[in-house]
């Protein structure tokens, strides 16, 4: 009898130890899970390894997306078509950050005469398909408006989630994954709600004393503290709280709620100068110091990244008698003009025609580096303004509904001369109205 009871007791004891071991194993697993939600140890971010975790959301029916490709952000030479061409016009640009840049095309297959908004929610993550290349994230919402029956190619700027990994280039591809489920990153997203974060926020709604370049660099540092470090501190939170707020109505109030569907179309469609808003007819850059441009181009046709322009060097308009006529008469110039052609079966897209904030990047090469560039834009009206190029971010808000921003002037990476870069933003009037209809 004693041996039988002893055997029973031993079985109970063994069962007890097995139960305790299982409980300890589960507790350890829970600890592992909790550790993945702490700064510096988040799946797919920093150096933690693993796959990005995200909640998928849907876009409006009728929007068809292309593959998402990487874009090099430091190789300016590679972005030029060739050494002999030297002029590139990119398509619409939105988002924030400069470490991860992707390009995609959206087709609106809707046959009705209405645009569709492609809503990219705050916290949307894009996973690299190439090992060792940075993953990217949007810290604020982006709304890309695509007219009915149209196709729109655009550039999306993202923040880097993996400090130390490689930047993407044209050989890399990305996958849309949805909104991150990382609790520590979501805390940052929530702190930035309705703050001016994206590039288009600062060009559409200028804020005295605030520079987009400074803001995006600071936010990237804060994000890296979360993904690769120990997390945000009190100074970071104070900085975020100090960021300027977006005007009411720029986004729906429920833009951050994934459970609520968003309006079909929510596009900035009129400026404070309504009668002058609309698509860009042409833009001319006058460089007084350039007696001979480094690149000689005469009427070549460019179709790059969605905004085709005919390019003319040495443009002269004998009928122009407006402001700065004497200077413009002798300055070398490069004119970008929307072509009147149906070569591709339809009228080419124009910067600003869709009623959304379109941002076109204009690059050209001249023989000299000038301190002042004269810029002439035309849609309904012709407007001339001066940009001083002594600091990055110098911009002028034209009264015809366009903002022209100086980005950089550097020695030409492909040869002699200097490479200038400007961004031209459509419908960038302070106090622009929004279409708030949910229909």
């Amino acid at each position: 009898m004693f041996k039988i009871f002893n055997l029973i007791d031993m079985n109970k004891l063994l069962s007890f130890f097995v139960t305790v071991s299982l409980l300890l194993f589960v507790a350890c697993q829970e600890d592992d899970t909790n550790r993945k939600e702490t700064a510096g140890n988040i799946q797919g971010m920093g150096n933690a390894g693993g796959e990005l975790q995200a909640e998928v959301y849907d876009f409006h029916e009728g929007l068809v997306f292309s593959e998402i490709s990487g874009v090099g952000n430091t190789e300016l030479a590679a972005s030029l078509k060739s050494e002999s061409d030297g002029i590139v016009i990119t398509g619409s640009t939105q988002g924030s950050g400069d470490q991860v840049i992707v390009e995609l095309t959206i087709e609106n297959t809707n046959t009705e005469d209405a645009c569709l908004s492609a809503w990219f929610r705050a916290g949307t993550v894009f996973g690299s398909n190439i090992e060792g290349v940075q993953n990217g994230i949007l810290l604020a919402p982006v709304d890309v408006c695509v007219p009915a029956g149209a196709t729109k190619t655009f550039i999306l700027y993202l923040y880097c989630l993996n400090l130390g990994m490689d930047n993407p280039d044209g050989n890399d591809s990305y996958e849309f994954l949805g909104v991150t489920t990382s609790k520590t990153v979501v805390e940052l997203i929530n702190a930035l709600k309705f703050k001016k974060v994206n590039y288009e926020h600062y060009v559409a709604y200028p804020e005295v004393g605030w520079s987009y370049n400074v803001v995006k660099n600071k936010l990237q540092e804060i994000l890296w503290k979360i993904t690769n470090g120990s997390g945000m501190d009190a100074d970071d939170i104070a900085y975020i709280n100090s960021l300027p707020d977006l005007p009411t109505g720029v986004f729906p109030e429920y833009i951050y709620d994934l459970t609520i569907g968003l309006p079909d179309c929510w596009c900035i469609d009129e400026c404070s100068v309504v009668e002058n808003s609309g698509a860009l007819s042409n833009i001319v850059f006058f460089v007084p110091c350039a007696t001979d441009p480094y690149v000689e181009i005469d009427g070549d046709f460019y179709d790059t990244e969605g905004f085709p322009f005919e390019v003319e060097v040495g443009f002269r308009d004998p009928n122009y008698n407006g402001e700065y006529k004497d200077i413009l008469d002798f300055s070398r110039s490069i004119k970008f003009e929307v072509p009147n052609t149906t070569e591709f079966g339809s009228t080419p897209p124009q910067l600003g025609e869709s009623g959304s904030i379109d941002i076109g990047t204009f690059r050209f090469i001249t023989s000299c580096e000038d301190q002042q560039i004269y810029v002439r834009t035309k849609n309904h009206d012709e407007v001339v303004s001066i940009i001083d190029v002594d600091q990055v971010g110098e911009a002028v808000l034209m009264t015809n509904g366009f903002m022209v921003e100086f980005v950089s002037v550097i020695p030409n990476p492909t040869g002699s001369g200097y490479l200038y870069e400007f961004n031209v933003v459509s419908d960038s009037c302070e106090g622009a109205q929004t279409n708030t209809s949910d229909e």
Side-chain angles (χ1 to χ4, degrees):
M1 291 291 293
F2 174 80
K3 291 184 178 180
I4 294 175
F5 280 114
N6 189 41
L7 181 60
I8 293 174
D9 290 340
M10 288 296 293
N11 286 336
K12 287 182 178 180
L13 186 61
L14 180 61
S15 177
F16 170 77
F17 279 120
V18 169
T19 302
V20 170
S21 298
L22 286 173
L23 290 173
L24 289 173
F25 176 77
V26 171
C28 289
Q29 290 293 94
E30 289 178 352
D31 284 345
D32 285 342
T33 300
N34 290 333
R35 280 199 292 270
K36 291 176 183 176
E37 292 298 321
T38 60
N41 195 14
I42 308 168
Q43 285 193 61
M45 302 185 191
N47 298 312
E51 301 293 330
L52 289 170
Q53 303 299 302
E55 181 180 354
V56 178
Y57 60 87
D58 295 324
F59 293 87
H60 289 305
E61 187 176 354
L63 293 177
V64 178
F65 289 72
S66 69
E67 293 184 358
I68 304 173
S69 61
V71 177
N73 66 327
T74 57
E75 300 177 4
L76 286 177
S79 68
L80 297 176
K81 293 179 63 179
S82 71
E83 183 175 348
S84 62
D85 288 336
I87 294 183
V88 172
I89 307 99
T90 62
S92 175
T93 304
Q94 292 179 252
S96 181
D98 62 3
Q99 297 294 310
V100 179
I101 307 174
V102 298
E103 175 186 301
L104 62 158
T105 298
I106 302 178
E107 180 185 1
N108 181 358
T109 59
N110 179 25
T111 57
E112 297 180 3
D113 188 19
C115 77
L116 281 179
S117 284
W119 293 99
F120 292 88
R121 309 282 190 133
T124 296
V125 286
F126 294 81
S128 170
N129 290 325
I130 307 297
E131 186 176 354
V133 174
Q134 299 167 353
N135 297 316
I137 187 172
L138 279 175
L139 294 185
V142 164
D143 172 23
V144 178
C145 296
V146 188
T151 297
K152 190 166 189 177
T153 298
F154 65 98
I155 302 295
L156 201 57
Y157 282 86
L158 309 169
Y159 287 95
C160 166
L161 290 169
N162 309 91
L163 175 62
M165 290 190 183
D166 293 336
N167 298 100
D169 60 29
N171 297 318
D172 300 323
S173 63
Y174 279 80
E175 294 292 333
F176 163 82
L177 300 177
V179 170
T180 180
T181 55
S182 166
K183 295 178 181 178
T184 48
V185 177
V186 169
E187 287 177 5
L188 173 60
I189 301 298
N190 289 336
L192 290 170
K193 281 185 177 180
F194 299 109
K195 293 290 186 180
K196 290 184 180 178
V197 174
N198 291 346
Y199 177 80
E200 62 270 19
H201 299 163
Y202 285 91
V203 294
Y205 310 103
E207 191 78 32
V208 176
W210 288 91
S211 164
Y212 163 75
N213 287 316
V214 173
V215 171
K216 58 108 170 146
N217 288 339
K218 180 63 176 177
L219 291 180
Q220 181 65 80
E221 291 176 6
I222 293 173
L223 179 60
W224 277 337
K225 285 184 178 181
I226 295 172
T227 61
N228 292 71
S230 57
M232 293 187 291
D233 56 32
D235 290 340
D236 297 327
I237 295 172
Y239 179 81
I240 291 170
N241 291 336
S242 72
L243 290 174
D245 295 323
L246 284 167
T248 301
V250 173
F251 289 119
E253 293 182 1
Y254 43 87
I255 180 68
Y256 291 87
D257 190 338
L258 291 183
T259 65
I260 299 178
L262 295 171
D264 287 344
C265 189
W266 187 285
C267 304
I268 292 180
D269 55 9
E270 57 180 325
C271 289
S272 53
V273 188
V274 177
E275 65 274 13
N276 288 332
S277 63
L280 183 68
S281 297
N282 63 64
I283 182 166
V284 189
F285 297 91
F286 297 87
V287 187
C289 75
T291 55
D292 291 302
Y294 173 67
V295 180
E296 291 287 352
I297 302 174
D298 185 12
D300 288 345
F301 184 80
Y302 289 80
D303 183 14
T304 58
E305 313 300 341
F307 291 123
F309 287 86
E310 290 178 345
V311 182
E312 181 182 352
V313 169
F315 168 73
R316 295 291 183 272
D317 184 354
N319 298 318
Y320 178 73
N321 293 302
E323 194 173 11
Y324 308 116
K325 173 177 169 52
D326 292 342
I327 295 175
L328 303 191
D329 273 347
F330 71 79
S331 297
R332 296 296 303 200
S333 63
I334 297 179
K335 179 184 182 183
F336 300 83
E337 185 165 24
V338 176
N340 294 318
T341 177
T342 56
E343 179 180 349
F344 299 101
S346 62
T347 303
Q350 299 182 42
L351 191 67
E353 73 172 353
S354 65
S356 62
I357 300 178
D358 284 334
I359 304 173
T361 300
F362 295 77
R363 298 188 183 107
F364 56 86
I365 298 171
T366 67
S367 60
C368 61
E369 181 180 3
D370 216 330
Q371 294 303 305
Q372 288 188 326
I373 304 294
Y374 292 76
V375 183
R376 175 178 160 190
T377 64
K378 184 180 186 303
N379 54 2
H380 294 290
D381 295 332
E382 290 184 330
V383 180
V384 178
S385 257
I386 302 174
I387 289 185
D388 294 316
V389 297
D390 55 355
Q391 65 175 0
V392 172
E394 180 75 16
V396 294
L397 183 63
M398 318 295 268
T399 58
N400 60 0
F402 289 86
M403 176 183 284
V404 182
E405 179 195 35
F406 167 67
V407 176
S408 65
V409 54
I410 63 172
N412 174 22
T414 62
S416 61
Y418 293 86
L419 172 66
Y420 290 84
E421 181 172 340
F422 293 84
N423 286 329
V424 178
V425 186
S426 67
D427 289 345
S428 54
C429 295
E430 189 170 5
Q433 302 297 311
T434 58
N435 170 15
T436 58
S437 172
D438 285 4
E439 297 179 0

